[in-house]
Amino acid sequence: MPALRGLAVLLVIFVLYRLLRIGIGGIAKADYESFSFLTSSLVRSLSDGRFILLLPAAVAIGWLHRGGTWKEVLGETRFGIVIWATVVILVWSAALYPFNFYYGRAHLLDRLAVVATGALCLRYPAAIPVFTFCVMSSYGQWRFTLGDPEITNRKIVLDLLFTLNAILLLRRWKWLNPNLVVITLVSVNLIHYWIPGLAKFDAGNTAVEWLVEDRPSNMMVAGYFVGWNQLWDEAGMVQLYQWLAPLEFPLKIFVLVVELALLASFFNHRLMVALTLGRVLLHTGIWILSGDTFWNWILLQLAITVAFWRKPKVEGLFGPLPAALSAIFVLWTSHSYQASPLGWMDSRLFE
């Protein structure tokens, strides 16, 4: 029975996530030349039926969690640090950008609203829906005219945010316990590594072509010549290339392990920490070799590492059943989340 109840909870959370995604899709792109993009976005959104359907959910979350704190949602787990990291990442990227020269606006009041609602979210779950609207309205300014080179970086934190809204809607459901909240949110994070892991097998003409033919050293050289990587001069780049070339195959095995073995993350906390730190090393290696830093992904993995560094005091968060629930959730729902299939092929053919 515990297994069936756990699966039922995960299914309901996923269905709510999908429904909320539809409503969030109704948040209109604001007039960023107006005095307030938040006001403009709200007025425009009210003409979209998807957004109207979102409003009762937002009110319900506020009402169900009025005066409540994260401890009521997360229990004795130390997962609050991951919630904090998610909020900090979203505030940083949605409110602390430089002056928007394209629109000729500083957006100071709107950005203060993002910071203020984010600060409230650190303590009060009830603020999450309003914070979600503020963040999505801010992100809209990069959606079209300016392009959005950070969109892949943002997907992981937005999926966590949307799933968190879905979880908060289930406040009164006795089947939803803090362990299932943590398993769901960590699994959503893991999906964004599982899909890139699978993508490695689709990158070539055969399933093993990426493992055999991919050359990370070519990515490093390309990153140097197109100006992404500011860490190296030419002599340093050549020296690193010579050092890296013999290690390419074991490095690729390492990448596949940290992206695919995650299905067993909840078997015990040591495995969770090892795989999470492995993903930090993966991102660090990408930054050193190519200049591309997934800074918010790294921050999330570090937050998860801190949350699980010590064995949790709560019972039932790790073991065969939690590992199975997480694996089923990842396998069952991963293609319905926003994860990007980050496969690539850096060979002499694909310069």
Side-chain angles (χ1 to χ4, degrees):
M1 283 297 292
L4 293 178
R5 285 200 301 266
L7 284 175
V9 171
L10 297 182
L11 173 61
V12 172
I13 292 172
F14 172 68
V15 171
L16 287 175
Y17 159 82
R18 291 299 301 174
L19 292 174
L20 289 174
R21 278 270 304 275
I22 294 172
I24 290 168
I27 297 177
K29 183 174 181 288
D31 176 4
Y32 292 98
E33 295 180 2
S34 67
F35 76 97
S36 168
F37 68 69
L38 287 176
T39 302
S40 171
S41 179
L42 179 61
V43 170
R44 292 183 175 192
S45 299
L46 290 173
S47 63
D48 192 310
R50 295 172 298 173
F51 181 77
I52 300 299
L53 292 175
L54 191 65
L55 294 179
V59 172
I61 291 172
W63 176 257
L64 290 170
H65 295 271
R66 62 192 184 281
T69 64
W70 286 110
K71 188 172 183 179
E72 297 173 11
V73 179
L74 303 173
E76 296 299 322
T77 69
R78 301 179 66 222
F79 200 74
I81 190 168
V82 183
I83 303 294
W84 279 42
T86 303
V87 172
V88 168
I89 290 168
L90 290 166
V91 168
W92 181 275
S93 52
L96 302 181
Y97 54 89
F99 183 91
N100 191 324
F101 287 100
Y102 184 87
Y103 290 111
R105 295 284 180 179
H107 301 147
L108 289 179
L109 291 178
D110 296 309
R111 291 197 276 170
L112 283 173
V114 176
V115 174
T117 54
L120 286 173
C121 287
L122 297 180
R123 180 165 178 82
Y124 301 111
I128 285 288
V130 178
F131 177 62
T132 301
F133 173 77
C134 292
V135 166
M136 295 305 295
S137 295
S138 177
Y139 279 173
Q141 64 190 293
W142 297 291
R143 203 182 299 166
F144 301 109
T145 309
L146 299 179
D148 193 355
E150 279 271 296
I151 190 168
T152 297
N153 267 335
R154 293 191 181 120
K155 285 179 177 179
I156 190 169
V157 285
L158 289 179
D159 265 344
L160 284 170
L161 180 64
F162 300 160
T163 305
L164 187 58
N165 276 279
I167 288 170
L168 294 178
L169 274 172
L170 301 175
R171 170 78 164 82
R172 303 295 181 185
W173 193 14
K174 63 180 181 179
W175 285 9
L176 178 67
N177 58 56
N179 285 356
L180 289 173
V181 171
V182 172
I183 290 170
T184 304
L185 290 173
V186 173
S187 298
V188 170
N189 168 81
L190 297 179
I191 283 169
H192 288 263
Y193 292 93
W194 172 255
I195 290 297
L198 294 182
K200 309 297 190 297
F201 296 98
D202 290 329
N205 293 318
T206 65
V208 297
E209 188 171 353
W210 180 86
L211 187 60
V212 175
E213 298 293 339
D214 180 59
R215 297 290 180 266
S217 52
N218 284 4
M219 177 177 66
M220 182 200 68
V221 174
Y224 171 78
F225 279 110
V226 300
W228 295 343
N229 201 333
Q230 302 298 315
L231 291 175
W232 310 109
D233 56 18
E234 188 167 349
M237 183 269 297
V238 172
Q239 185 176 7
L240 184 61
Y241 180 90
Q242 293 172 342
W243 173 83
L244 178 65
L247 300 175
E248 289 181 327
F249 187 78
L251 285 175
K252 288 183 286 186
I253 295 293
F254 168 77
V255 170
L256 290 178
V257 168
V258 298
E259 290 187 334
L260 298 179
L262 53 78
L263 289 179
S265 292
F266 276 96
F267 193 77
N268 63 59
H269 83 282
R270 291 187 182 89
L271 182 60
M272 172 72 78
V273 169
L275 290 172
T276 307
L277 284 177
R279 292 190 288 274
V280 174
L281 291 175
L282 166 64
H283 291 305
T284 304
I286 292 172
W287 174 58
I288 291 172
L289 296 182
S290 72
D292 188 8
T293 172
F294 286 66
W295 66 272
N296 42 14
W297 294 46
I298 293 175
L299 185 56
L300 280 175
Q301 305 319 301
L302 290 174
I304 293 173
T305 301
V306 173
F308 296 121
W309 186 261
R310 294 200 304 261
K311 186 176 182 180
K313 297 178 182 178
V314 298
E315 296 294 328
L317 184 55
F318 288 95
L321 178 56
L325 289 174
S326 174
I328 291 171
F329 186 83
V330 171
L331 294 171
W332 190 13
T333 68
S334 55
H335 287 285
S336 295
Y337 275 82
Q338 300 183 91
S340 297
L342 301 174
W344 63 84
M345 180 68 76
D346 296 301
S347 70
R348 284 173 292 184
L349 178 63
F350 297 98
E351 293 182 357

